[in-house]
Amino acid sequence: MGVAVVFLAGCQSADDAGAQNAPPPRFDGVATRLLDNDLVNFQVRLSRAATRDDVAAYARCAAAQYALIRGFGFARHVRTTVQEQGGVWVGDAVYTISPALPRGLLTLDAEVVAAACAEQGIPTV
């Protein structure tokens, strides 16, 4: 049984090993733009992002904190686009913010998400 465990541990893919050895993302800033009373655009920039998910998480954290700053408890994801050029990742995300839980599947409880972001070391606005 010990041999099987050693064998399985040795089956880590090169991609997994590279992701574990990669430096953490550098969060290069968030720009917010109010599009309507409850519709907000977030432009986030990262360097050394390991995945598109890092960019989306940064935007999600910004949206959660922004909702709290504006006195709202919830946000709903509308869309996020991600592009990478020369090692700089840019996310363009849109969220609605609201005082009550909005309809839809991609909703955020702003307090819960902001707390999780702090625990993960992801900055907010």
Side-chain angles (χ1 to χ4, degrees), residues 10-88:
C11 290
Q12 180 180 22
S13 74
D15 289 341
D16 291 342
Q20 289 176 356
N21 295 328
R26 187 177 71 213
F27 302 98
D28 296 330
V30 177
T32 60
R33 188 173 61 155
L34 188 61
L35 301 174
D36 201 357
N37 289 335
D38 65 347
L39 191 64
V40 187
N41 175 245
F42 299 92
Q43 298 276 327
V44 298
R45 296 176 64 84
L46 290 88
S47 301
R48 302 187 314 231
T51 67
R52 291 176 172 273
D53 290 340
D54 292 333
V55 179
Y58 191 20
R60 186 171 43 253
C61 291
Q65 186 64 38
Y66 185 86
L68 293 173
I69 289 168
R70 296 284 305 242
F72 295 103
F74 299 92
R76 181 177 58 83
H77 179 253
V78 176
R79 67 143 176 89
T80 300
T81 60
V82 177
Q83 295 181 340
E84 186 269 332
Q85 287 185 332
V88 176

